[in-house]
Amino acid sequence: HEQQQQQQQHEECERKLDALNALNANLSQELTQCACQLEEKTAELKHVYHEQQQLETQLAASKKACMDEKCRATFSVEEATTRHAEALDEMQRAHLAKLSDMEQAM
């Protein structure tokens, strides 16, 4: 009777061991899949990071070009304003000279 009980315990242990081995095999397979996915995602992330760096560089260059253009435009407007003011002064002087001439002629 005791031998039969030992036999049953032995079979039960073997069943449990088989179940654990099967579980271990499944977990090992899942772990391998996760490692592969991790590698893929890491590669993807590196690619996205690289793209981001390029876009940030392009954006910085565009901002600089824009600021340079804005500076040139501002300078042009200032120059034009100065020339306009000088022309107005010149016209005023000419007008005053003309008035002066007319007064003297009278």
Side-chain angles (χ1 to χ4, degrees):
H1 180 73
E2 197 171 302
Q3 195 175 2
Q4 187 183 2
Q5 197 174 6
Q6 278 184 339
Q7 181 68 30
Q8 284 175 339
Q9 284 178 338
H10 180 71
E11 287 171 4
E12 180 66 25
C13 279
E14 280 192 345
R15 275 198 300 278
K16 283 182 181 176
L17 188 60
D18 287 346
L20 286 174
N21 281 335
L23 183 61
N24 192 24
N26 283 343
L27 290 175
S28 180
Q29 190 179 359
E30 281 183 39
L31 191 58
T32 302
Q33 287 172 346
C34 285
C36 287
Q37 287 174 347
L38 185 61
E39 264 183 54
E40 287 171 11
K41 294 293 178 192
T42 302
E44 227 175 276
L45 192 58
K46 281 181 184 173
H47 178 69
V48 167
Y49 178 74
H50 183 65
E51 270 186 0
Q52 182 188 1
Q53 294 297 100
Q54 285 180 324
L55 289 172
E56 283 176 359
T57 302
Q58 288 172 6
L59 181 62
S62 291
K63 279 184 178 176
K64 187 188 179 317
C66 195
M67 286 302 290
D68 291 349
E69 188 55 41
K70 198 173 176 183
C71 286
R72 275 195 295 276
T74 301
F75 181 70
S76 294
V77 167
E78 286 171 355
E79 261 190 340
T81 305
T82 303
R83 282 197 303 271
H84 186 239
E86 288 168 354
L88 284 175
D89 286 348
E90 189 58 41
M91 282 171 60
Q92 196 172 21
R93 277 195 294 276
H95 187 64
L96 289 173
K98 197 174 185 182
L99 282 177
S100 177
D101 288 350
M102 285 170 69
E103 281 177 0
Q104 284 176 1
M106 288 176 146

mmCIF file with all atom_site columns, all heavy atoms in Angstrom, residues 8 15 19 21 23 29 39 43 49-50 52-53 55 57 59 61 70-72 75 89-90 94 100 104:
data_model
loop_
_atom_site.group_PDB
_atom_site.id
_atom_site.type_symbol
_atom_site.label_atom_id
_atom_site.label_alt_id
_atom_site.label_comp_id
_atom_site.label_asym_id
_atom_site.label_entity_id
_atom_site.label_seq_id
_atom_site.pdbx_PDB_ins_code
_atom_site.Cartn_x
_atom_site.Cartn_y
_atom_site.Cartn_z
_atom_site.occupancy
_atom_site.B_iso_or_equiv
_atom_site.pdbx_formal_charge
_atom_site.auth_seq_id
_atom_site.auth_comp_id
_atom_site.auth_asym_id
_atom_site.auth_atom_id
_atom_site.pdbx_PDB_model_num
ATOM 1   N N   . GLN A 1 8   ? 2.232  6.862   -6.659  1.00 0.00 ? 8   GLN A N   1
ATOM 2   C CA  . GLN A 1 8   ? 1.313  7.959   -7.019  1.00 0.00 ? 8   GLN A CA  1
ATOM 3   C C   . GLN A 1 8   ? 1.998  9.319   -6.825  1.00 0.00 ? 8   GLN A C   1
ATOM 4   O O   . GLN A 1 8   ? 1.871  10.205  -7.665  1.00 0.00 ? 8   GLN A O   1
ATOM 5   C CB  . GLN A 1 8   ? 0.039  7.897   -6.162  1.00 0.00 ? 8   GLN A CB  1
ATOM 6   C CG  . GLN A 1 8   ? -0.926 6.813   -6.598  1.00 0.00 ? 8   GLN A CG  1
ATOM 7   C CD  . GLN A 1 8   ? -2.131 6.706   -5.657  1.00 0.00 ? 8   GLN A CD  1
ATOM 8   O OE1 . GLN A 1 8   ? -2.066 7.152   -4.502  1.00 0.00 ? 8   GLN A OE1 1
ATOM 9   N NE2 . GLN A 1 8   ? -3.210 6.103   -6.142  1.00 0.00 ? 8   GLN A NE2 1
ATOM 10  N N   . ARG A 1 15  ? 4.328  14.729  -13.227 1.00 0.00 ? 15  ARG A N   1
ATOM 11  C CA  . ARG A 1 15  ? 3.347  15.561  -13.933 1.00 0.00 ? 15  ARG A CA  1
ATOM 12  C C   . ARG A 1 15  ? 3.622  17.037  -13.657 1.00 0.00 ? 15  ARG A C   1
ATOM 13  O O   . ARG A 1 15  ? 3.612  17.870  -14.573 1.00 0.00 ? 15  ARG A O   1
ATOM 14  C CB  . ARG A 1 15  ? 1.913  15.200  -13.499 1.00 0.00 ? 15  ARG A CB  1
ATOM 15  C CG  . ARG A 1 15  ? 1.328  14.023  -14.266 1.00 0.00 ? 15  ARG A CG  1
ATOM 16  C CD  . ARG A 1 15  ? -0.187 13.958  -14.139 1.00 0.00 ? 15  ARG A CD  1
ATOM 17  N NE  . ARG A 1 15  ? -0.639 13.801  -12.743 1.00 0.00 ? 15  ARG A NE  1
ATOM 18  C CZ  . ARG A 1 15  ? -0.691 12.644  -12.088 1.00 0.00 ? 15  ARG A CZ  1
ATOM 19  N NH1 . ARG A 1 15  ? -0.360 11.516  -12.703 1.00 0.00 ? 15  ARG A NH1 1
ATOM 20  N NH2 . ARG A 1 15  ? -1.110 12.576  -10.837 1.00 0.00 ? 15  ARG A NH2 1
ATOM 21  N N   . ALA A 1 19  ? 4.753  19.880  -16.315 1.00 0.00 ? 19  ALA A N   1
ATOM 22  C CA  . ALA A 1 19  ? 4.001  21.134  -16.440 1.00 0.00 ? 19  ALA A CA  1
ATOM 23  C C   . ALA A 1 19  ? 4.942  22.325  -16.278 1.00 0.00 ? 19  ALA A C   1
ATOM 24  O O   . ALA A 1 19  ? 4.877  23.301  -17.039 1.00 0.00 ? 19  ALA A O   1
ATOM 25  C CB  . ALA A 1 19  ? 2.882  21.191  -15.406 1.00 0.00 ? 19  ALA A CB  1
ATOM 26  N N   . ASN A 1 21  ? 8.207  22.354  -16.795 1.00 0.00 ? 21  ASN A N   1
ATOM 27  C CA  . ASN A 1 21  ? 9.087  22.402  -17.977 1.00 0.00 ? 21  ASN A CA  1
ATOM 28  C C   . ASN A 1 21  ? 8.382  23.052  -19.159 1.00 0.00 ? 21  ASN A C   1
ATOM 29  O O   . ASN A 1 21  ? 8.975  23.853  -19.892 1.00 0.00 ? 21  ASN A O   1
ATOM 30  C CB  . ASN A 1 21  ? 9.570  21.000  -18.349 1.00 0.00 ? 21  ASN A CB  1
ATOM 31  C CG  . ASN A 1 21  ? 10.706 20.527  -17.453 1.00 0.00 ? 21  ASN A CG  1
ATOM 32  O OD1 . ASN A 1 21  ? 11.429 21.338  -16.893 1.00 0.00 ? 21  ASN A OD1 1
ATOM 33  N ND2 . ASN A 1 21  ? 10.846 19.219  -17.304 1.00 0.00 ? 21  ASN A ND2 1
ATOM 34  N N   . LEU A 1 23  ? 5.855  25.158  -18.978 1.00 0.00 ? 23  LEU A N   1
ATOM 35  C CA  . LEU A 1 23  ? 5.709  26.579  -18.642 1.00 0.00 ? 23  LEU A CA  1
ATOM 36  C C   . LEU A 1 23  ? 7.025  27.318  -18.871 1.00 0.00 ? 23  LEU A C   1
ATOM 37  O O   . LEU A 1 23  ? 7.052  28.408  -19.445 1.00 0.00 ? 23  LEU A O   1
ATOM 38  C CB  . LEU A 1 23  ? 5.274  26.710  -17.170 1.00 0.00 ? 23  LEU A CB  1
ATOM 39  C CG  . LEU A 1 23  ? 5.000  28.134  -16.669 1.00 0.00 ? 23  LEU A CG  1
ATOM 40  C CD1 . LEU A 1 23  ? 3.856  28.779  -17.458 1.00 0.00 ? 23  LEU A CD1 1
ATOM 41  C CD2 . LEU A 1 23  ? 4.648  28.104  -15.183 1.00 0.00 ? 23  LEU A CD2 1
ATOM 42  N N   . GLN A 1 29  ? 10.261 31.252  -24.597 1.00 0.00 ? 29  GLN A N   1
ATOM 43  C CA  . GLN A 1 29  ? 9.880  31.693  -25.948 1.00 0.00 ? 29  GLN A CA  1
ATOM 44  C C   . GLN A 1 29  ? 9.352  33.139  -25.899 1.00 0.00 ? 29  GLN A C   1
ATOM 45  O O   . GLN A 1 29  ? 9.722  33.972  -26.735 1.00 0.00 ? 29  GLN A O   1
ATOM 46  C CB  . GLN A 1 29  ? 8.809  30.752  -26.501 1.00 0.00 ? 29  GLN A CB  1
ATOM 47  C CG  . GLN A 1 29  ? 8.519  30.984  -27.977 1.00 0.00 ? 29  GLN A CG  1
ATOM 48  C CD  . GLN A 1 29  ? 7.461  30.015  -28.502 1.00 0.00 ? 29  GLN A CD  1
ATOM 49  O OE1 . GLN A 1 29  ? 6.958  29.167  -27.763 1.00 0.00 ? 29  GLN A OE1 1
ATOM 50  N NE2 . GLN A 1 29  ? 7.128  30.160  -29.765 1.00 0.00 ? 29  GLN A NE2 1
ATOM 51  N N   . GLU A 1 39  ? 14.485 45.083  -29.352 1.00 0.00 ? 39  GLU A N   1
ATOM 52  C CA  . GLU A 1 39  ? 15.511 45.478  -30.324 1.00 0.00 ? 39  GLU A CA  1
ATOM 53  C C   . GLU A 1 39  ? 14.904 46.291  -31.462 1.00 0.00 ? 39  GLU A C   1
ATOM 54  O O   . GLU A 1 39  ? 15.454 47.314  -31.865 1.00 0.00 ? 39  GLU A O   1
ATOM 55  C CB  . GLU A 1 39  ? 16.190 44.234  -30.912 1.00 0.00 ? 39  GLU A CB  1
ATOM 56  C CG  . GLU A 1 39  ? 17.480 43.859  -30.230 1.00 0.00 ? 39  GLU A CG  1
ATOM 57  C CD  . GLU A 1 39  ? 18.157 42.662  -30.883 1.00 0.00 ? 39  GLU A CD  1
ATOM 58  O OE1 . GLU A 1 39  ? 18.389 42.719  -32.120 1.00 0.00 ? 39  GLU A OE1 1
ATOM 59  O OE2 . GLU A 1 39  ? 18.438 41.691  -30.170 1.00 0.00 ? 39  GLU A OE2 1
ATOM 60  N N   . ALA A 1 43  ? 15.658 50.233  -32.288 1.00 0.00 ? 43  ALA A N   1
ATOM 61  C CA  . ALA A 1 43  ? 16.127 50.688  -33.607 1.00 0.00 ? 43  ALA A CA  1
ATOM 62  C C   . ALA A 1 43  ? 15.204 51.791  -34.139 1.00 0.00 ? 43  ALA A C   1
ATOM 63  O O   . ALA A 1 43  ? 15.667 52.809  -34.667 1.00 0.00 ? 43  ALA A O   1
ATOM 64  C CB  . ALA A 1 43  ? 16.178 49.525  -34.584 1.00 0.00 ? 43  ALA A CB  1
ATOM 65  N N   . TYR A 1 49  ? 14.795 59.482  -33.295 1.00 0.00 ? 49  TYR A N   1
ATOM 66  C CA  . TYR A 1 49  ? 15.648 60.471  -32.629 1.00 0.00 ? 49  TYR A CA  1
ATOM 67  C C   . TYR A 1 49  ? 16.541 61.169  -33.663 1.00 0.00 ? 49  TYR A C   1
ATOM 68  O O   . TYR A 1 49  ? 16.690 62.389  -33.635 1.00 0.00 ? 49  TYR A O   1
ATOM 69  C CB  . TYR A 1 49  ? 16.497 59.781  -31.553 1.00 0.00 ? 49  TYR A CB  1
ATOM 70  C CG  . TYR A 1 49  ? 17.442 60.710  -30.856 1.00 0.00 ? 49  TYR A CG  1
ATOM 71  C CD1 . TYR A 1 49  ? 16.979 61.630  -29.916 1.00 0.00 ? 49  TYR A CD1 1
ATOM 72  C CD2 . TYR A 1 49  ? 18.809 60.697  -31.141 1.00 0.00 ? 49  TYR A CD2 1
ATOM 73  C CE1 . TYR A 1 49  ? 17.848 62.505  -29.275 1.00 0.00 ? 49  TYR A CE1 1
ATOM 74  C CE2 . TYR A 1 49  ? 19.678 61.569  -30.505 1.00 0.00 ? 49  TYR A CE2 1
ATOM 75  C CZ  . TYR A 1 49  ? 19.202 62.464  -29.575 1.00 0.00 ? 49  TYR A CZ  1
ATOM 76  O OH  . TYR A 1 49  ? 20.062 63.327  -28.961 1.00 0.00 ? 49  TYR A OH  1
ATOM 77  N N   . HIS A 1 50  ? 17.100 60.371  -34.576 1.00 0.00 ? 50  HIS A N   1
ATOM 78  C CA  . HIS A 1 50  ? 17.966 60.931  -35.620 1.00 0.00 ? 50  HIS A CA  1
ATOM 79  C C   . HIS A 1 50  ? 17.180 61.911  -36.494 1.00 0.00 ? 50  HIS A C   1
ATOM 80  O O   . HIS A 1 50  ? 17.657 63.015  -36.802 1.00 0.00 ? 50  HIS A O   1
ATOM 81  C CB  . HIS A 1 50  ? 18.546 59.801  -36.466 1.00 0.00 ? 50  HIS A CB  1
ATOM 82  C CG  . HIS A 1 50  ? 19.492 60.263  -37.522 1.00 0.00 ? 50  HIS A CG  1
ATOM 83  N ND1 . HIS A 1 50  ? 20.702 60.866  -37.242 1.00 0.00 ? 50  HIS A ND1 1
ATOM 84  C CD2 . HIS A 1 50  ? 19.397 60.229  -38.886 1.00 0.00 ? 50  HIS A CD2 1
ATOM 85  C CE1 . HIS A 1 50  ? 21.307 61.182  -38.387 1.00 0.00 ? 50  HIS A CE1 1
ATOM 86  N NE2 . HIS A 1 50  ? 20.538 60.818  -39.380 1.00 0.00 ? 50  HIS A NE2 1
ATOM 87  N N   . GLN A 1 52  ? 14.520 63.544  -35.649 1.00 0.00 ? 52  GLN A N   1
ATOM 88  C CA  . GLN A 1 52  ? 14.220 64.711  -34.817 1.00 0.00 ? 52  GLN A CA  1
ATOM 89  C C   . GLN A 1 52  ? 15.406 65.669  -34.796 1.00 0.00 ? 52  GLN A C   1
ATOM 90  O O   . GLN A 1 52  ? 15.242 66.888  -34.930 1.00 0.00 ? 52  GLN A O   1
ATOM 91  C CB  . GLN A 1 52  ? 13.864 64.269  -33.397 1.00 0.00 ? 52  GLN A CB  1
ATOM 92  C CG  . GLN A 1 52  ? 13.495 65.432  -32.495 1.00 0.00 ? 52  GLN A CG  1
ATOM 93  C CD  . GLN A 1 52  ? 13.327 65.027  -31.054 1.00 0.00 ? 52  GLN A CD  1
ATOM 94  O OE1 . GLN A 1 52  ? 13.494 63.868  -30.693 1.00 0.00 ? 52  GLN A OE1 1
ATOM 95  N NE2 . GLN A 1 52  ? 13.006 65.978  -30.217 1.00 0.00 ? 52  GLN A NE2 1
ATOM 96  N N   . GLN A 1 53  ? 16.608 65.110  -34.650 1.00 0.00 ? 53  GLN A N   1
ATOM 97  C CA  . GLN A 1 53  ? 17.821 65.937  -34.635 1.00 0.00 ? 53  GLN A CA  1
ATOM 98  C C   . GLN A 1 53  ? 17.944 66.711  -35.945 1.00 0.00 ? 53  GLN A C   1
ATOM 99  O O   . GLN A 1 53  ? 18.243 67.904  -35.950 1.00 0.00 ? 53  GLN A O   1
ATOM 100 C CB  . GLN A 1 53  ? 19.078 65.069  -34.434 1.00 0.00 ? 53  GLN A CB  1
ATOM 101 C CG  . GLN A 1 53  ? 19.171 64.381  -33.106 1.00 0.00 ? 53  GLN A CG  1
ATOM 102 C CD  . GLN A 1 53  ? 19.251 65.349  -31.951 1.00 0.00 ? 53  GLN A CD  1
ATOM 103 O OE1 . GLN A 1 53  ? 18.265 65.615  -31.288 1.00 0.00 ? 53  GLN A OE1 1
ATOM 104 N NE2 . GLN A 1 53  ? 20.414 65.889  -31.703 1.00 0.00 ? 53  GLN A NE2 1
ATOM 105 N N   . LEU A 1 55  ? 15.549 67.509  -38.052 1.00 0.00 ? 55  LEU A N   1
ATOM 106 C CA  . LEU A 1 55  ? 14.494 68.523  -38.155 1.00 0.00 ? 55  LEU A CA  1
ATOM 107 C C   . LEU A 1 55  ? 14.811 69.728  -37.278 1.00 0.00 ? 55  LEU A C   1
ATOM 108 O O   . LEU A 1 55  ? 14.580 70.869  -37.684 1.00 0.00 ? 55  LEU A O   1
ATOM 109 C CB  . LEU A 1 55  ? 13.129 67.928  -37.772 1.00 0.00 ? 55  LEU A CB  1
ATOM 110 C CG  . LEU A 1 55  ? 12.545 66.950  -38.791 1.00 0.00 ? 55  LEU A CG  1
ATOM 111 C CD1 . LEU A 1 55  ? 11.292 66.279  -38.223 1.00 0.00 ? 55  LEU A CD1 1
ATOM 112 C CD2 . LEU A 1 55  ? 12.192 67.666  -40.096 1.00 0.00 ? 55  LEU A CD2 1
ATOM 113 N N   . THR A 1 57  ? 17.780 70.769  -36.488 1.00 0.00 ? 57  THR A N   1
ATOM 114 C CA  . THR A 1 57  ? 18.863 71.497  -37.167 1.00 0.00 ? 57  THR A CA  1
ATOM 115 C C   . THR A 1 57  ? 18.283 72.356  -38.293 1.00 0.00 ? 57  THR A C   1
ATOM 116 O O   . THR A 1 57  ? 18.639 73.528  -38.425 1.00 0.00 ? 57  THR A O   1
ATOM 117 C CB  . THR A 1 57  ? 19.900 70.501  -37.733 1.00 0.00 ? 57  THR A CB  1
ATOM 118 O OG1 . THR A 1 57  ? 20.394 69.703  -36.649 1.00 0.00 ? 57  THR A OG1 1
ATOM 119 C CG2 . THR A 1 57  ? 21.053 71.212  -38.401 1.00 0.00 ? 57  THR A CG2 1
ATOM 120 N N   . LEU A 1 59  ? 15.229 73.450  -38.551 1.00 0.00 ? 59  LEU A N   1
ATOM 121 C CA  . LEU A 1 59  ? 14.415 74.510  -37.961 1.00 0.00 ? 59  LEU A CA  1
ATOM 122 C C   . LEU A 1 59  ? 15.297 75.666  -37.493 1.00 0.00 ? 59  LEU A C   1
ATOM 123 O O   . LEU A 1 59  ? 14.994 76.837  -37.734 1.00 0.00 ? 59  LEU A O   1
ATOM 124 C CB  . LEU A 1 59  ? 13.596 73.962  -36.784 1.00 0.00 ? 59  LEU A CB  1
ATOM 125 C CG  . LEU A 1 59  ? 12.678 74.948  -36.068 1.00 0.00 ? 59  LEU A CG  1
ATOM 126 C CD1 . LEU A 1 59  ? 11.608 75.480  -37.028 1.00 0.00 ? 59  LEU A CD1 1
ATOM 127 C CD2 . LEU A 1 59  ? 12.013 74.295  -34.871 1.00 0.00 ? 59  LEU A CD2 1
ATOM 128 N N   . ALA A 1 61  ? 18.223 76.476  -38.637 1.00 0.00 ? 61  ALA A N   1
ATOM 129 C CA  . ALA A 1 61  ? 18.734 77.158  -39.829 1.00 0.00 ? 61  ALA A CA  1
ATOM 130 C C   . ALA A 1 61  ? 17.655 78.069  -40.432 1.00 0.00 ? 61  ALA A C   1
ATOM 131 O O   . ALA A 1 61  ? 17.939 79.206  -40.818 1.00 0.00 ? 61  ALA A O   1
ATOM 132 C CB  . ALA A 1 61  ? 19.199 76.135  -40.858 1.00 0.00 ? 61  ALA A CB  1
ATOM 133 N N   . LYS A 1 70  ? 14.717 89.299  -41.812 1.00 0.00 ? 70  LYS A N   1
ATOM 134 C CA  . LYS A 1 70  ? 13.994 90.335  -41.063 1.00 0.00 ? 70  LYS A CA  1
ATOM 135 C C   . LYS A 1 70  ? 14.921 91.528  -40.808 1.00 0.00 ? 70  LYS A C   1
ATOM 136 O O   . LYS A 1 70  ? 14.518 92.683  -40.942 1.00 0.00 ? 70  LYS A O   1
ATOM 137 C CB  . LYS A 1 70  ? 13.515 89.740  -39.735 1.00 0.00 ? 70  LYS A CB  1
ATOM 138 C CG  . LYS A 1 70  ? 12.429 90.507  -39.048 1.00 0.00 ? 70  LYS A CG  1
ATOM 139 C CD  . LYS A 1 70  ? 11.942 89.702  -37.851 1.00 0.00 ? 70  LYS A CD  1
ATOM 140 C CE  . LYS A 1 70  ? 10.915 90.449  -37.055 1.00 0.00 ? 70  LYS A CE  1
ATOM 141 N NZ  . LYS A 1 70  ? 10.490 89.704  -35.875 1.00 0.00 ? 70  LYS A NZ  1
ATOM 142 N N   . CYS A 1 71  ? 16.174 91.230  -40.435 1.00 0.00 ? 71  CYS A N   1
ATOM 143 C CA  . CYS A 1 71  ? 17.156 92.299  -40.196 1.00 0.00 ? 71  CYS A CA  1
ATOM 144 C C   . CYS A 1 71  ? 17.406 93.094  -41.470 1.00 0.00 ? 71  CYS A C   1
ATOM 145 O O   . CYS A 1 71  ? 17.433 94.327  -41.445 1.00 0.00 ? 71  CYS A O   1
ATOM 146 C CB  . CYS A 1 71  ? 18.477 91.714  -39.691 1.00 0.00 ? 71  CYS A CB  1
ATOM 147 S SG  . CYS A 1 71  ? 18.405 91.150  -37.991 1.00 0.00 ? 71  CYS A SG  1
ATOM 148 N N   . ARG A 1 72  ? 17.574 92.374  -42.595 1.00 0.00 ? 72  ARG A N   1
ATOM 149 C CA  . ARG A 1 72  ? 17.803 93.055  -43.877 1.00 0.00 ? 72  ARG A CA  1
ATOM 150 C C   . ARG A 1 72  ? 16.609 93.944  -44.234 1.00 0.00 ? 72  ARG A C   1
ATOM 151 O O   . ARG A 1 72  ? 16.770 95.083  -44.664 1.00 0.00 ? 72  ARG A O   1
ATOM 152 C CB  . ARG A 1 72  ? 18.052 92.040  -44.989 1.00 0.00 ? 72  ARG A CB  1
ATOM 153 C CG  . ARG A 1 72  ? 19.498 91.585  -45.085 1.00 0.00 ? 72  ARG A CG  1
ATOM 154 C CD  . ARG A 1 72  ? 19.766 90.872  -46.397 1.00 0.00 ? 72  ARG A CD  1
ATOM 155 N NE  . ARG A 1 72  ? 19.029 89.632  -46.525 1.00 0.00 ? 72  ARG A NE  1
ATOM 156 C CZ  . ARG A 1 72  ? 19.422 88.469  -46.031 1.00 0.00 ? 72  ARG A CZ  1
ATOM 157 N NH1 . ARG A 1 72  ? 20.565 88.387  -45.375 1.00 0.00 ? 72  ARG A NH1 1
ATOM 158 N NH2 . ARG A 1 72  ? 18.694 87.382  -46.190 1.00 0.00 ? 72  ARG A NH2 1
ATOM 159 N N   . PHE A 1 75  ? 16.484 96.974  -42.018 1.00 0.00 ? 75  PHE A N   1
ATOM 160 C CA  . PHE A 1 75  ? 17.532 97.906  -42.436 1.00 0.00 ? 75  PHE A CA  1
ATOM 161 C C   . PHE A 1 75  ? 17.087 98.655  -43.700 1.00 0.00 ? 75  PHE A C   1
ATOM 162 O O   . PHE A 1 75  ? 17.248 99.869  -43.799 1.00 0.00 ? 75  PHE A O   1
ATOM 163 C CB  . PHE A 1 75  ? 18.843 97.157  -42.684 1.00 0.00 ? 75  PHE A CB  1
ATOM 164 C CG  . PHE A 1 75  ? 19.969 98.039  -43.094 1.00 0.00 ? 75  PHE A CG  1
ATOM 165 C CD1 . PHE A 1 75  ? 20.551 98.919  -42.185 1.00 0.00 ? 75  PHE A CD1 1
ATOM 166 C CD2 . PHE A 1 75  ? 20.457 98.013  -44.398 1.00 0.00 ? 75  PHE A CD2 1
ATOM 167 C CE1 . PHE A 1 75  ? 21.605 99.748  -42.567 1.00 0.00 ? 75  PHE A CE1 1
ATOM 168 C CE2 . PHE A 1 75  ? 21.499 98.838  -44.775 1.00 0.00 ? 75  PHE A CE2 1
ATOM 169 C CZ  . PHE A 1 75  ? 22.075 99.713  -43.868 1.00 0.00 ? 75  PHE A CZ  1
ATOM 170 N N   . ASP A 1 89  ? 13.372 117.095 -46.666 1.00 0.00 ? 89  ASP A N   1
ATOM 171 C CA  . ASP A 1 89  ? 14.186 118.249 -46.243 1.00 0.00 ? 89  ASP A CA  1
ATOM 172 C C   . ASP A 1 89  ? 14.631 119.063 -47.465 1.00 0.00 ? 89  ASP A C   1
ATOM 173 O O   . ASP A 1 89  ? 14.579 120.301 -47.463 1.00 0.00 ? 89  ASP A O   1
ATOM 174 C CB  . ASP A 1 89  ? 15.429 117.792 -45.461 1.00 0.00 ? 89  ASP A CB  1
ATOM 175 C CG  . ASP A 1 89  ? 15.099 117.312 -44.060 1.00 0.00 ? 89  ASP A CG  1
ATOM 176 O OD1 . ASP A 1 89  ? 13.950 117.538 -43.607 1.00 0.00 ? 89  ASP A OD1 1
ATOM 177 O OD2 . ASP A 1 89  ? 15.974 116.687 -43.410 1.00 0.00 ? 89  ASP A OD2 1
ATOM 178 N N   . GLU A 1 90  ? 15.104 118.346 -48.471 1.00 0.00 ? 90  GLU A N   1
ATOM 179 C CA  . GLU A 1 90  ? 15.591 118.982 -49.704 1.00 0.00 ? 90  GLU A CA  1
ATOM 180 C C   . GLU A 1 90  ? 14.462 119.773 -50.367 1.00 0.00 ? 90  GLU A C   1
ATOM 181 O O   . GLU A 1 90  ? 14.646 120.925 -50.785 1.00 0.00 ? 90  GLU A O   1
ATOM 182 C CB  . GLU A 1 90  ? 16.136 117.916 -50.649 1.00 0.00 ? 90  GLU A CB  1
ATOM 183 C CG  . GLU A 1 90  ? 16.861 118.476 -51.851 1.00 0.00 ? 90  GLU A CG  1
ATOM 184 C CD  . GLU A 1 90  ? 18.029 119.378 -51.473 1.00 0.00 ? 90  GLU A CD  1
ATOM 185 O OE1 . GLU A 1 90  ? 18.771 119.052 -50.515 1.00 0.00 ? 90  GLU A OE1 1
ATOM 186 O OE2 . GLU A 1 90  ? 18.184 120.425 -52.127 1.00 0.00 ? 90  GLU A OE2 1
ATOM 187 N N   . ALA A 1 94  ? 14.297 123.762 -50.925 1.00 0.00 ? 94  ALA A N   1
ATOM 188 C CA  . ALA A 1 94  ? 14.069 124.319 -52.269 1.00 0.00 ? 94  ALA A CA  1
ATOM 189 C C   . ALA A 1 94  ? 12.861 125.255 -52.235 1.00 0.00 ? 94  ALA A C   1
ATOM 190 O O   . ALA A 1 94  ? 12.882 126.342 -52.835 1.00 0.00 ? 94  ALA A O   1
ATOM 191 C CB  . ALA A 1 94  ? 13.842 123.190 -53.259 1.00 0.00 ? 94  ALA A CB  1
ATOM 192 N N   . SER A 1 100 ? 12.019 132.725 -50.822 1.00 0.00 ? 100 SER A N   1
ATOM 193 C CA  . SER A 1 100 ? 12.993 133.794 -50.576 1.00 0.00 ? 100 SER A CA  1
ATOM 194 C C   . SER A 1 100 ? 13.261 134.573 -51.857 1.00 0.00 ? 100 SER A C   1
ATOM 195 O O   . SER A 1 100 ? 13.312 135.805 -51.877 1.00 0.00 ? 100 SER A O   1
ATOM 196 C CB  . SER A 1 100 ? 14.262 133.203 -50.011 1.00 0.00 ? 100 SER A CB  1
ATOM 197 O OG  . SER A 1 100 ? 15.231 134.199 -49.833 1.00 0.00 ? 100 SER A OG  1
ATOM 198 N N   . GLN A 1 104 ? 12.448 138.523 -52.674 1.00 0.00 ? 104 GLN A N   1
ATOM 199 C CA  . GLN A 1 104 ? 13.482 139.448 -53.130 1.00 0.00 ? 104 GLN A CA  1
ATOM 200 C C   . GLN A 1 104 ? 13.084 140.092 -54.452 1.00 0.00 ? 104 GLN A C   1
ATOM 201 O O   . GLN A 1 104 ? 13.395 141.260 -54.716 1.00 0.00 ? 104 GLN A O   1
ATOM 202 C CB  . GLN A 1 104 ? 14.823 138.718 -53.286 1.00 0.00 ? 104 GLN A CB  1
ATOM 203 C CG  . GLN A 1 104 ? 15.489 138.455 -51.941 1.00 0.00 ? 104 GLN A CG  1
ATOM 204 C CD  . GLN A 1 104 ? 16.770 137.653 -52.087 1.00 0.00 ? 104 GLN A CD  1
ATOM 205 O OE1 . GLN A 1 104 ? 17.169 137.319 -53.208 1.00 0.00 ? 104 GLN A OE1 1
ATOM 206 N NE2 . GLN A 1 104 ? 17.413 137.385 -50.949 1.00 0.00 ? 104 GLN A NE2 1
#
